[in-house]
Amino acid sequence: MNRNQTASDSDSPQLIELGEQSQLLVFEADIRPDINRCVLQLMTFLQAKLGAGVRLSPAYHSLLIEWPELPDSEALHHYLAEFSRRPKSPTQASTRSWTIPVCYGGDHGIDLEDLAQARNLSPQQLIQIHSDAAYRVFMLGFAPGYAYLGPLDPRLHSPRRSQPRASTPAGSISIGGRQTLIAGVSMPSGWHLIGQTPINSFRAQLEAPSLFRAGDAIRFQAIDDNTFEQWQRLSAEQQWQRLRQQESNTDSSATRLDPT
Amino acid sequence: MTIMIRLLSCQGQALIQDAGRPEARAHACPVGGAADLYAFRCAQALIGQSTHTPAIELTLGRFAFEVISESRDKSLAMGYAGAAHSCSINGEPHPPWTSANLCHGDRVELIANHRSLRSYLTFAAQFKDIDHWMGSVATALSVERGGYQGRALEVGDQVSLRSPCYRPPSSLCWTAIPKDSARIQVLPGPQVDRFRAADIRHFYRQSWRISANSDRRGIRLEGTPLSGPITAGLISEPVIPGAVQILPDGQPLILMPDGPTTGGYPKIGQLSQPALARLAQKAPGDMIRCEPQDIHSARRHWQQWQERLSQLNKAVIPCD
């Protein structure tokens, strides 16, 4: 074990020294909602104890701590012990649900066919498996508008590409390892591009610029090129309004995703 | 009163920067900010400005601007740090790590001298009409916010400054001027234990070349690849600037201030903050050697480095 790491048990995170002013708290390395909820609860708990000067950033199973000066490890250990003793609360903040339109394959998902072949599936099967599942947003990370989802059906798990691409389209829906994501702005990526959403998930002019939040429920709905273009013609504001209208529709499973 | 600098030529990247926006990480936006924090702070200290004062970060290339002032007798103090460009004012060479006062009609030219990568210009005035976003004016190119209209400066741009001030011309004491070094201190990364011992030795022994495929998001290193096996992709976790990822081809990518906020490639190391500031001055083709450093030693050095940064104003000497 790295000398800069402390041992952990199943309930408390491992502490990893990262940089001069930063540390990582790492739970079990798995993509599970209960682990992710623990990360988010720990973040809320520590933020209240350590104050606004300390920055906390959650991911799937880990939490970054950035201190204003050098880390106060004594205080941190004290609060981690307190956190591990807390009564486990089954309550959960209410979840927002989104149905996200995706155009799979073709120019919108240039890796779909190769990935299907590598996984011994037809492209239609891959699309079905991917779009049938219910996902949770585990974290916002990497770049503006990127929402990282899970769990991904094991039949679709794929190591990242050996050669990352210098640029991938905004709104890409992609697969990397055990994860799937909704991309925001165009970025280099080593993931497999299987589709594209016309939804702009980041609006820089807003105080709350991200459409998604950790804990949101996501479902994908396959659309064709025409519908894709219709959505693209809407402004980001209009897109968000439509999605919100559809989110509040109680019979969302029967609703056809419609940009008009 | 307003004074303007008008870009007469701009070949290379000119970006308005400050110390960055830590609160942006919650929205997966890079913290950004001046890549060489040390030179940035020197540029501020040279004109007696606070640590909140923004600068124009120049990377390679050549730039020229003229000063246009409503009032002919008003001076604008300018700090110039980083020494990556040969600076001249109205044709007269002007040394780096100094300040000067500019008047209406003055023309400043900066040409990359390839001794380092980035220079910082500060002004004893307030930038007008630049974009404040999430507590910072640093340029966030990926979302077109911050800085000058969320983009790099271009020929013809007119950057307005309000309340220009004169400052006694000064220079930075030579002891505070950073010394060039190819040695970059690297702490153990979160996944260092997943690498074979032979690969870790190789990483620290190799002379790595800075790839041309590098920018404010990340610096690619070229050399004999680590032979692996490289740990397969991991679940994405938070990363900070200075993280040393090993990509599937066995070569390192060091994340810089505009880089991603999370990543799934295994990290063999993490640059110390002073090392990251020095790396920000390495140009494509330059060679570096990574030197192992432990976290306790790095934290002790950090305190000394913070001390040096906070005392920079004392290292600024008025010229005659």
mmCIF file of all heavy atoms in Angstrom, chain A residues 30-34 36-37 60 128-139 147-157 174-181 191 215-220, chain B residues 235:
data_model
loop_
_atom_site.group_PDB
_atom_site.id
_atom_site.type_symbol
_atom_site.label_atom_id
_atom_site.label_comp_id
_atom_site.label_asym_id
_atom_site.label_seq_id
_atom_site.Cartn_x
_atom_site.Cartn_y
_atom_site.Cartn_z
ATOM 1 N N ASP A 30 -16.491 0.879 -6.880
ATOM 2 C CA ASP A 30 -17.561 0.228 -7.615
ATOM 3 C C ASP A 30 -18.586 1.286 -7.985
ATOM 4 O O ASP A 30 -18.674 2.341 -7.339
ATOM 5 C CB ASP A 30 -18.206 -0.872 -6.773
ATOM 6 C CG ASP A 30 -18.954 -1.891 -7.610
ATOM 7 O OD1 ASP A 30 -19.000 -1.721 -8.856
ATOM 8 O OD2 ASP A 30 -19.504 -2.852 -7.044
ATOM 9 N N ILE A 31 -19.345 1.005 -9.016
ATOM 10 C CA ILE A 31 -20.350 1.969 -9.455
ATOM 11 C C ILE A 31 -21.685 1.521 -8.883
ATOM 12 O O ILE A 31 -22.398 0.708 -9.472
ATOM 13 C CB ILE A 31 -20.379 2.050 -10.997
ATOM 14 C CG1 ILE A 31 -19.038 2.558 -11.493
ATOM 15 C CG2 ILE A 31 -21.503 2.970 -11.462
ATOM 16 C CD1 ILE A 31 -18.908 2.663 -12.994
ATOM 17 N N ARG A 32 -22.023 2.018 -7.701
ATOM 18 C CA ARG A 32 -23.264 1.642 -7.006
ATOM 19 C C ARG A 32 -23.896 2.881 -6.409
ATOM 20 O O ARG A 32 -23.201 3.704 -5.803
ATOM 21 C CB ARG A 32 -22.971 0.641 -5.894
ATOM 22 C CG ARG A 32 -22.654 -0.738 -6.410
ATOM 23 C CD ARG A 32 -22.452 -1.797 -5.343
ATOM 24 N NE ARG A 32 -22.547 -1.393 -3.975
ATOM 25 C CZ ARG A 32 -21.727 -1.840 -3.021
ATOM 26 N NH1 ARG A 32 -20.733 -2.647 -3.333
ATOM 27 N NH2 ARG A 32 -21.881 -1.463 -1.768
ATOM 28 N N PRO A 33 -25.203 3.005 -6.516
ATOM 29 C CA PRO A 33 -25.865 4.203 -5.966
ATOM 30 C C PRO A 33 -25.631 4.372 -4.470
ATOM 31 O O PRO A 33 -25.487 5.501 -3.992
ATOM 32 C CB PRO A 33 -27.352 3.945 -6.255
ATOM 33 C CG PRO A 33 -27.350 3.012 -7.425
ATOM 34 C CD PRO A 33 -26.135 2.158 -7.281
ATOM 35 N N ASP A 34 -25.571 3.274 -3.720
ATOM 36 C CA ASP A 34 -25.407 3.431 -2.269
ATOM 37 C C ASP A 34 -24.026 3.995 -1.936
ATOM 38 O O ASP A 34 -23.895 4.822 -1.032
ATOM 39 C CB ASP A 34 -25.656 2.101 -1.528
ATOM 40 C CG ASP A 34 -24.685 1.003 -1.936
ATOM 41 O OD1 ASP A 34 -24.480 0.823 -3.150
ATOM 42 O OD2 ASP A 34 -24.123 0.344 -1.046
ATOM 43 N N ASN A 36 -22.269 5.959 -3.951
ATOM 44 C CA ASN A 36 -22.310 7.340 -4.414
ATOM 45 C C ASN A 36 -23.065 8.217 -3.439
ATOM 46 O O ASN A 36 -22.665 9.353 -3.140
ATOM 47 C CB ASN A 36 -22.926 7.396 -5.808
ATOM 48 C CG ASN A 36 -22.816 8.770 -6.438
ATOM 49 O OD1 ASN A 36 -23.819 9.421 -6.732
ATOM 50 N ND2 ASN A 36 -21.591 9.235 -6.639
ATOM 51 N N ARG A 37 -24.178 7.688 -2.894
ATOM 52 C CA ARG A 37 -24.948 8.450 -1.903
ATOM 53 C C ARG A 37 -24.098 8.703 -0.661
ATOM 54 O O ARG A 37 -24.165 9.764 -0.054
ATOM 55 C CB ARG A 37 -26.237 7.711 -1.526
ATOM 56 C CG ARG A 37 -27.393 7.968 -2.508
ATOM 57 C CD ARG A 37 -28.716 7.546 -1.906
ATOM 58 N NE ARG A 37 -28.813 6.102 -1.768
ATOM 59 C CZ ARG A 37 -29.276 5.308 -2.725
ATOM 60 N NH1 ARG A 37 -29.660 5.799 -3.883
ATOM 61 N NH2 ARG A 37 -29.336 4.003 -2.527
ATOM 62 N N TYR A 60 -17.713 9.309 -8.522
ATOM 63 C CA TYR A 60 -18.489 8.073 -8.341
ATOM 64 C C TYR A 60 -18.361 7.547 -6.917
ATOM 65 O O TYR A 60 -19.347 7.306 -6.237
ATOM 66 C CB TYR A 60 -17.993 6.980 -9.286
ATOM 67 C CG TYR A 60 -18.515 7.031 -10.700
ATOM 68 C CD1 TYR A 60 -17.861 7.761 -11.680
ATOM 69 C CD2 TYR A 60 -19.653 6.328 -11.060
ATOM 70 C CE1 TYR A 60 -18.327 7.793 -12.984
ATOM 71 C CE2 TYR A 60 -20.129 6.353 -12.373
ATOM 72 C CZ TYR A 60 -19.455 7.089 -13.318
ATOM 73 O OH TYR A 60 -19.914 7.114 -14.617
ATOM 74 N N GLN A 128 -30.663 -1.210 -28.074
ATOM 75 C CA GLN A 128 -31.753 -1.660 -27.181
ATOM 76 C C GLN A 128 -31.252 -1.766 -25.743
ATOM 77 O O GLN A 128 -31.889 -1.251 -24.815
ATOM 78 C CB GLN A 128 -32.230 -3.046 -27.645
ATOM 79 C CG GLN A 128 -33.366 -3.598 -26.818
ATOM 80 C CD GLN A 128 -34.649 -3.595 -27.612
ATOM 81 O OE1 GLN A 128 -34.630 -3.744 -28.834
ATOM 82 N NE2 GLN A 128 -35.759 -3.404 -26.934
ATOM 83 N N ILE A 129 -30.101 -2.430 -25.576
ATOM 84 C CA ILE A 129 -29.563 -2.619 -24.222
ATOM 85 C C ILE A 129 -29.281 -1.270 -23.578
ATOM 86 O O ILE A 129 -29.614 -1.015 -22.417
ATOM 87 C CB ILE A 129 -28.275 -3.480 -24.249
ATOM 88 C CG1 ILE A 129 -28.600 -4.906 -24.702
ATOM 89 C CG2 ILE A 129 -27.599 -3.496 -22.882
ATOM 90 C CD1 ILE A 129 -27.360 -5.718 -25.034
ATOM 91 N N HIS A 130 -28.641 -0.380 -24.348
ATOM 92 C CA HIS A 130 -28.249 0.924 -23.800
ATOM 93 C C HIS A 130 -29.474 1.770 -23.456
ATOM 94 O O HIS A 130 -29.543 2.382 -22.384
ATOM 95 C CB HIS A 130 -27.362 1.674 -24.795
ATOM 96 C CG HIS A 130 -26.749 2.928 -24.226
ATOM 97 N ND1 HIS A 130 -27.298 4.173 -24.413
ATOM 98 C CD2 HIS A 130 -25.643 3.109 -23.454
ATOM 99 C CE1 HIS A 130 -26.552 5.078 -23.786
ATOM 100 N NE2 HIS A 130 -25.552 4.472 -23.196
ATOM 101 N N SER A 131 -30.473 1.796 -24.361
ATOM 102 C CA SER A 131 -31.604 2.715 -24.158
ATOM 103 C C SER A 131 -32.687 2.124 -23.266
ATOM 104 O O SER A 131 -33.552 2.854 -22.788
ATOM 105 C CB SER A 131 -32.205 3.147 -25.504
ATOM 106 O OG SER A 131 -32.633 2.001 -26.213
ATOM 107 N N ASP A 132 -32.674 0.818 -23.034
ATOM 108 C CA ASP A 132 -33.682 0.215 -22.157
ATOM 109 C C ASP A 132 -33.401 0.495 -20.687
ATOM 110 O O ASP A 132 -34.313 0.419 -19.857
ATOM 111 C CB ASP A 132 -33.703 -1.311 -22.340
ATOM 112 C CG ASP A 132 -34.673 -1.741 -23.433
ATOM 113 O OD1 ASP A 132 -35.358 -0.845 -23.982
ATOM 114 O OD2 ASP A 132 -34.735 -2.942 -23.725
ATOM 115 N N ALA A 133 -32.159 0.758 -20.364
ATOM 116 C CA ALA A 133 -31.759 0.815 -18.953
ATOM 117 C C ALA A 133 -32.137 2.133 -18.288
ATOM 118 O O ALA A 133 -32.293 3.164 -18.948
ATOM 119 C CB ALA A 133 -30.249 0.607 -18.845
ATOM 120 N N ALA A 134 -32.289 2.058 -16.975
ATOM 121 C CA ALA A 134 -32.468 3.256 -16.153
ATOM 122 C C ALA A 134 -31.114 3.618 -15.559
ATOM 123 O O ALA A 134 -30.422 2.757 -15.028
ATOM 124 C CB ALA A 134 -33.471 2.978 -15.035
ATOM 125 N N TYR A 135 -30.739 4.883 -15.656
ATOM 126 C CA TYR A 135 -29.425 5.310 -15.173
ATOM 127 C C TYR A 135 -29.563 6.342 -14.076
ATOM 128 O O TYR A 135 -30.575 7.033 -13.958
ATOM 129 C CB TYR A 135 -28.610 5.935 -16.311
ATOM 130 C CG TYR A 135 -28.312 4.992 -17.450
ATOM 131 C CD1 TYR A 135 -29.094 5.006 -18.605
ATOM 132 C CD2 TYR A 135 -27.252 4.091 -17.383
ATOM 133 C CE1 TYR A 135 -28.823 4.144 -19.661
ATOM 134 C CE2 TYR A 135 -26.978 3.227 -18.438
ATOM 135 C CZ TYR A 135 -27.775 3.254 -19.569
ATOM 136 O OH TYR A 135 -27.504 2.391 -20.612
ATOM 137 N N ARG A 136 -28.511 6.486 -13.334
ATOM 138 C CA ARG A 136 -28.393 7.521 -12.310
ATOM 139 C C ARG A 136 -27.213 8.405 -12.689
ATOM 140 O O ARG A 136 -26.178 7.894 -13.149
ATOM 141 C CB ARG A 136 -28.134 6.848 -10.963
ATOM 142 C CG ARG A 136 -27.993 7.793 -9.786
ATOM 143 C CD ARG A 136 -27.723 6.971 -8.513
ATOM 144 N NE ARG A 136 -27.917 7.742 -7.306
ATOM 145 C CZ ARG A 136 -27.015 8.573 -6.793
ATOM 146 N NH1 ARG A 136 -25.858 8.725 -7.389
ATOM 147 N NH2 ARG A 136 -27.282 9.260 -5.699
ATOM 148 N N VAL A 137 -27.340 9.726 -12.496
ATOM 149 C CA VAL A 137 -26.177 10.603 -12.653
ATOM 150 C C VAL A 137 -25.330 10.447 -11.393
ATOM 151 O O VAL A 137 -25.780 10.782 -10.288
ATOM 152 C CB VAL A 137 -26.584 12.080 -12.834
ATOM 153 C CG1 VAL A 137 -25.333 12.966 -12.904
ATOM 154 C CG2 VAL A 137 -27.429 12.268 -14.091
ATOM 155 N N PHE A 138 -24.127 9.926 -11.542
ATOM 156 C CA PHE A 138 -23.243 9.733 -10.389
ATOM 157 C C PHE A 138 -22.419 10.979 -10.099
ATOM 158 O O PHE A 138 -22.085 11.246 -8.954
ATOM 159 C CB PHE A 138 -22.303 8.545 -10.630
ATOM 160 C CG PHE A 138 -22.929 7.232 -10.298
ATOM 161 C CD1 PHE A 138 -23.930 6.694 -11.089
ATOM 162 C CD2 PHE A 138 -22.532 6.531 -9.167
ATOM 163 C CE1 PHE A 138 -24.516 5.477 -10.769
ATOM 164 C CE2 PHE A 138 -23.117 5.309 -8.837
ATOM 165 C CZ PHE A 138 -24.110 4.788 -9.640
ATOM 166 N N MET A 139 -22.031 11.697 -11.148
ATOM 167 C CA MET A 139 -21.241 12.897 -10.933
ATOM 168 C C MET A 139 -21.245 13.769 -12.167
ATOM 169 O O MET A 139 -21.542 13.301 -13.285
ATOM 170 C CB MET A 139 -19.791 12.531 -10.599
ATOM 171 C CG MET A 139 -19.028 11.942 -11.751
ATOM 172 S SD MET A 139 -17.249 11.809 -11.394
ATOM 173 C CE MET A 139 -16.627 11.467 -13.031
ATOM 174 N N ALA A 147 -22.184 14.597 -17.857
ATOM 175 C CA ALA A 147 -22.839 13.873 -16.777
ATOM 176 C C ALA A 147 -22.440 12.407 -16.886
ATOM 177 O O ALA A 147 -22.626 11.780 -17.920
ATOM 178 C CB ALA A 147 -24.351 14.015 -16.882
ATOM 179 N N TYR A 148 -21.895 11.882 -15.809
ATOM 180 C CA TYR A 148 -21.420 10.503 -15.776
ATOM 181 C C TYR A 148 -22.485 9.614 -15.171
ATOM 182 O O TYR A 148 -22.995 9.927 -14.090
ATOM 183 C CB TYR A 148 -20.125 10.415 -14.968
ATOM 184 C CG TYR A 148 -18.925 10.865 -15.753
ATOM 185 C CD1 TYR A 148 -18.741 12.212 -16.049
ATOM 186 C CD2 TYR A 148 -17.993 9.947 -16.216
ATOM 187 C CE1 TYR A 148 -17.656 12.633 -16.799
ATOM 188 C CE2 TYR A 148 -16.903 10.350 -16.960
ATOM 189 C CZ TYR A 148 -16.738 11.690 -17.249
ATOM 190 O OH TYR A 148 -15.665 12.092 -17.986
ATOM 191 N N LEU A 149 -22.814 8.551 -15.879
ATOM 192 C CA LEU A 149 -23.957 7.717 -15.515
ATOM 193 C C LEU A 149 -23.541 6.296 -15.148
ATOM 194 O O LEU A 149 -22.465 5.833 -15.490
ATOM 195 C CB LEU A 149 -24.920 7.636 -16.706
ATOM 196 C CG LEU A 149 -25.246 8.943 -17.442
ATOM 197 C CD1 LEU A 149 -26.188 8.646 -18.596
ATOM 198 C CD2 LEU A 149 -25.834 9.974 -16.509
ATOM 199 N N GLY A 150 -24.463 5.633 -14.478
ATOM 200 C CA GLY A 150 -24.310 4.208 -14.193
ATOM 201 C C GLY A 150 -25.616 3.680 -13.645
ATOM 202 O O GLY A 150 -26.523 4.471 -13.351
ATOM 203 N N PRO A 151 -25.775 2.369 -13.440
ATOM 204 C CA PRO A 151 -24.809 1.361 -13.886
ATOM 205 C C PRO A 151 -24.982 1.040 -15.370
ATOM 206 O O PRO A 151 -26.059 1.192 -15.922
ATOM 207 C CB PRO A 151 -25.214 0.139 -13.041
ATOM 208 C CG PRO A 151 -26.665 0.333 -12.763
ATOM 209 C CD PRO A 151 -26.929 1.821 -12.743
ATOM 210 N N LEU A 152 -23.915 0.611 -16.003
ATOM 211 C CA LEU A 152 -23.965 0.240 -17.413
ATOM 212 C C LEU A 152 -24.055 -1.268 -17.517
ATOM 213 O O LEU A 152 -23.329 -1.984 -16.832
ATOM 214 C CB LEU A 152 -22.702 0.753 -18.117
ATOM 215 C CG LEU A 152 -22.556 0.403 -19.604
ATOM 216 C CD1 LEU A 152 -23.631 1.105 -20.429
ATOM 217 C CD2 LEU A 152 -21.163 0.791 -20.092
ATOM 218 N N ASP A 153 -24.969 -1.742 -18.347
ATOM 219 C CA ASP A 153 -25.133 -3.190 -18.551
ATOM 220 C C ASP A 153 -23.769 -3.828 -18.869
ATOM 221 O O ASP A 153 -23.046 -3.357 -19.750
ATOM 222 C CB ASP A 153 -26.097 -3.405 -19.721
ATOM 223 C CG ASP A 153 -26.554 -4.846 -19.836
ATOM 224 O OD1 ASP A 153 -25.688 -5.745 -19.993
ATOM 225 O OD2 ASP A 153 -27.764 -5.080 -19.764
ATOM 226 N N PRO A 154 -23.411 -4.889 -18.128
ATOM 227 C CA PRO A 154 -22.093 -5.522 -18.319
ATOM 228 C C PRO A 154 -21.827 -5.952 -19.753
ATOM 229 O O PRO A 154 -20.674 -6.019 -20.166
ATOM 230 C CB PRO A 154 -22.156 -6.755 -17.403
ATOM 231 C CG PRO A 154 -23.168 -6.415 -16.385
ATOM 232 C CD PRO A 154 -24.172 -5.515 -17.045
ATOM 233 N N ARG A 155 -22.898 -6.226 -20.536
ATOM 234 C CA ARG A 155 -22.670 -6.619 -21.926
ATOM 235 C C ARG A 155 -22.059 -5.498 -22.745
ATOM 236 O O ARG A 155 -21.534 -5.715 -23.832
ATOM 237 C CB ARG A 155 -24.004 -7.052 -22.567
ATOM 238 C CG ARG A 155 -24.531 -8.378 -22.033
ATOM 239 C CD ARG A 155 -25.949 -8.663 -22.512
ATOM 240 N NE ARG A 155 -26.922 -7.779 -21.875
ATOM 241 C CZ ARG A 155 -28.223 -7.788 -22.145
ATOM 242 N NH1 ARG A 155 -28.707 -8.618 -23.049
ATOM 243 N NH2 ARG A 155 -29.048 -6.960 -21.526
ATOM 244 N N LEU A 156 -22.113 -4.255 -22.219
ATOM 245 C CA LEU A 156 -21.597 -3.109 -22.960
ATOM 246 C C LEU A 156 -20.260 -2.590 -22.412
ATOM 247 O O LEU A 156 -19.686 -1.657 -22.962
ATOM 248 C CB LEU A 156 -22.617 -1.960 -22.945
ATOM 249 C CG LEU A 156 -24.003 -2.284 -23.503
ATOM 250 C CD1 LEU A 156 -24.876 -1.026 -23.504
ATOM 251 C CD2 LEU A 156 -23.909 -2.844 -24.919
ATOM 252 N N HIS A 157 -19.787 -3.194 -21.325
ATOM 253 C CA HIS A 157 -18.525 -2.722 -20.742
ATOM 254 C C HIS A 157 -17.409 -2.843 -21.772
ATOM 255 O O HIS A 157 -17.241 -3.895 -22.391
ATOM 256 C CB HIS A 157 -18.153 -3.536 -19.498
ATOM 257 C CG HIS A 157 -19.056 -3.271 -18.337
ATOM 258 N ND1 HIS A 157 -18.861 -3.833 -17.089
ATOM 259 C CD2 HIS A 157 -20.155 -2.505 -18.208
ATOM 260 C CE1 HIS A 157 -19.805 -3.422 -16.264
ATOM 261 N NE2 HIS A 157 -20.609 -2.622 -16.920
ATOM 262 N N SER A 174 -21.480 8.251 -24.888
ATOM 263 C CA SER A 174 -20.335 7.351 -25.078
ATOM 264 C C SER A 174 -20.186 6.355 -23.946
ATOM 265 O O SER A 174 -20.825 6.474 -22.895
ATOM 266 C CB SER A 174 -19.054 8.173 -25.261
ATOM 267 O OG SER A 174 -18.844 9.020 -24.167
ATOM 268 N N ILE A 175 -19.337 5.380 -24.210
ATOM 269 C CA ILE A 175 -19.068 4.293 -23.251
ATOM 270 C C ILE A 175 -17.566 4.190 -23.024
ATOM 271 O O ILE A 175 -16.787 4.212 -23.986
ATOM 272 C CB ILE A 175 -19.603 2.955 -23.802
ATOM 273 C CG1 ILE A 175 -21.128 2.939 -23.741
ATOM 274 C CG2 ILE A 175 -19.038 1.770 -23.016
ATOM 275 C CD1 ILE A 175 -21.757 1.710 -24.366
ATOM 276 N N GLY A 176 -17.174 4.076 -21.742
ATOM 277 C CA GLY A 176 -15.763 3.896 -21.402
ATOM 278 C C GLY A 176 -15.676 3.034 -20.158
ATOM 279 O O GLY A 176 -16.176 3.436 -19.108
ATOM 280 N N GLY A 177 -15.080 1.859 -20.263
ATOM 281 C CA GLY A 177 -14.999 0.976 -19.099
ATOM 282 C C GLY A 177 -16.394 0.542 -18.689
ATOM 283 O O GLY A 177 -17.167 0.033 -19.500
ATOM 284 N N ARG A 178 -16.697 0.796 -17.414
ATOM 285 C CA ARG A 178 -18.013 0.431 -16.892
ATOM 286 C C ARG A 178 -18.959 1.616 -16.867
ATOM 287 O O ARG A 178 -19.999 1.599 -16.202
ATOM 288 C CB ARG A 178 -17.875 -0.072 -15.450
ATOM 289 C CG ARG A 178 -17.185 -1.405 -15.329
ATOM 290 C CD ARG A 178 -17.120 -1.833 -13.879
ATOM 291 N NE ARG A 178 -15.920 -1.372 -13.214
ATOM 292 C CZ ARG A 178 -15.718 -1.456 -11.910
ATOM 293 N NH1 ARG A 178 -16.653 -1.932 -11.118
ATOM 294 N NH2 ARG A 178 -14.585 -1.024 -11.382
ATOM 295 N N GLN A 179 -18.544 2.691 -17.515
ATOM 296 C CA GLN A 179 -19.301 3.930 -17.410
ATOM 297 C C GLN A 179 -19.909 4.331 -18.749
ATOM 298 O O GLN A 179 -19.391 3.996 -19.816
ATOM 299 C CB GLN A 179 -18.372 5.063 -16.941
ATOM 300 C CG GLN A 179 -17.684 4.763 -15.618
ATOM 301 C CD GLN A 179 -16.416 5.615 -15.438
ATOM 302 O OE1 GLN A 179 -15.329 5.129 -15.242
ATOM 303 N NE2 GLN A 179 -16.584 6.912 -15.522
ATOM 304 N N THR A 180 -20.998 5.090 -18.685
ATOM 305 C CA THR A 180 -21.527 5.728 -19.880
ATOM 306 C C THR A 180 -21.747 7.187 -19.544
ATOM 307 O O THR A 180 -21.959 7.537 -18.381
ATOM 308 C CB THR A 180 -22.821 5.041 -20.393
ATOM 309 O OG1 THR A 180 -23.194 5.611 -21.655
ATOM 310 C CG2 THR A 180 -23.970 5.174 -19.414
ATOM 311 N N LEU A 181 -21.676 8.059 -20.539
ATOM 312 C CA LEU A 181 -21.809 9.466 -20.212
ATOM 313 C C LEU A 181 -22.531 10.248 -21.293
ATOM 314 O O LEU A 181 -22.626 9.822 -22.446
ATOM 315 C CB LEU A 181 -20.443 10.087 -19.900
ATOM 316 C CG LEU A 181 -19.425 10.400 -20.976
ATOM 317 C CD1 LEU A 181 -19.754 11.654 -21.763
ATOM 318 C CD2 LEU A 181 -18.051 10.641 -20.334
ATOM 319 N N TRP A 191 -13.218 7.506 -25.247
ATOM 320 C CA TRP A 191 -14.417 6.667 -25.073
ATOM 321 C C TRP A 191 -14.994 6.283 -26.438
ATOM 322 O O TRP A 191 -14.660 6.860 -27.458
ATOM 323 C CB TRP A 191 -15.465 7.417 -24.254
ATOM 324 C CG TRP A 191 -15.061 7.562 -22.808
ATOM 325 C CD1 TRP A 191 -13.810 7.818 -22.317
ATOM 326 C CD2 TRP A 191 -15.909 7.455 -21.675
ATOM 327 N NE1 TRP A 191 -13.828 7.875 -20.953
ATOM 328 C CE2 TRP A 191 -15.099 7.657 -20.516
ATOM 329 C CE3 TRP A 191 -17.274 7.206 -21.493
ATOM 330 C CZ2 TRP A 191 -15.627 7.615 -19.229
ATOM 331 C CZ3 TRP A 191 -17.779 7.179 -20.219
ATOM 332 C CH2 TRP A 191 -16.969 7.376 -19.095
ATOM 333 N N GLY A 215 -27.386 12.356 -8.741
ATOM 334 C CA GLY A 215 -28.627 11.836 -8.156
ATOM 335 C C GLY A 215 -29.797 11.842 -9.129
ATOM 336 O O GLY A 215 -30.794 11.144 -8.911
ATOM 337 N N ASP A 216 -29.703 12.608 -10.220
ATOM 338 C CA ASP A 216 -30.783 12.634 -11.213
ATOM 339 C C ASP A 216 -30.944 11.253 -11.847
ATOM 340 O O ASP A 216 -29.972 10.527 -12.036
ATOM 341 C CB ASP A 216 -30.483 13.638 -12.331
ATOM 342 C CG ASP A 216 -30.660 15.085 -11.899
ATOM 343 O OD1 ASP A 216 -31.126 15.329 -10.757
ATOM 344 O OD2 ASP A 216 -30.337 15.988 -12.699
ATOM 345 N N ALA A 217 -32.192 10.921 -12.207
ATOM 346 C CA ALA A 217 -32.467 9.672 -12.931
ATOM 347 C C ALA A 217 -32.530 10.003 -14.423
ATOM 348 O O ALA A 217 -33.114 11.016 -14.818
ATOM 349 C CB ALA A 217 -33.792 9.073 -12.466
ATOM 350 N N ILE A 218 -31.916 9.160 -15.224
ATOM 351 C CA ILE A 218 -31.851 9.406 -16.671
ATOM 352 C C ILE A 218 -32.374 8.181 -17.417
ATOM 353 O O ILE A 218 -32.022 7.037 -17.080
ATOM 354 C CB ILE A 218 -30.399 9.640 -17.136
ATOM 355 C CG1 ILE A 218 -29.755 10.800 -16.391
ATOM 356 C CG2 ILE A 218 -30.333 9.822 -18.656
ATOM 357 C CD1 ILE A 218 -30.008 12.160 -16.967
ATOM 358 N N ARG A 219 -33.196 8.423 -18.429
ATOM 359 C CA ARG A 219 -33.516 7.378 -19.408
ATOM 360 C C ARG A 219 -33.240 7.968 -20.777
ATOM 361 O O ARG A 219 -33.358 9.187 -20.977
ATOM 362 C CB ARG A 219 -34.985 6.974 -19.314
ATOM 363 C CG ARG A 219 -35.372 6.368 -17.978
ATOM 364 C CD ARG A 219 -36.614 5.525 -18.100
ATOM 365 N NE ARG A 219 -36.312 4.250 -18.736
ATOM 366 C CZ ARG A 219 -36.298 3.086 -18.077
ATOM 367 N NH1 ARG A 219 -36.540 3.049 -16.797
ATOM 368 N NH2 ARG A 219 -36.034 1.981 -18.718
ATOM 369 N N PHE A 220 -32.845 7.112 -21.699
ATOM 370 C CA PHE A 220 -32.590 7.554 -23.066
ATOM 371 C C PHE A 220 -33.727 7.129 -23.966
ATOM 372 O O PHE A 220 -34.327 6.069 -23.781
ATOM 373 C CB PHE A 220 -31.288 6.948 -23.596
ATOM 374 C CG PHE A 220 -30.062 7.496 -22.916
ATOM 375 C CD1 PHE A 220 -29.261 6.682 -22.131
ATOM 376 C CD2 PHE A 220 -29.704 8.831 -23.057
ATOM 377 C CE1 PHE A 220 -28.134 7.180 -21.502
ATOM 378 C CE2 PHE A 220 -28.578 9.344 -22.433
ATOM 379 C CZ PHE A 220 -27.790 8.521 -21.648
ATOM 380 N N ILE B 235 -12.458 3.715 -12.646
ATOM 381 C CA ILE B 235 -13.645 4.554 -12.490
ATOM 382 C C ILE B 235 -13.161 5.986 -12.340
ATOM 383 O O ILE B 235 -12.229 6.261 -11.577
ATOM 384 C CB ILE B 235 -14.445 4.129 -11.247
ATOM 385 C CG1 ILE B 235 -14.862 2.666 -11.363
ATOM 386 C CG2 ILE B 235 -15.677 5.011 -11.077
ATOM 387 C CD1 ILE B 235 -15.521 2.117 -10.103
#
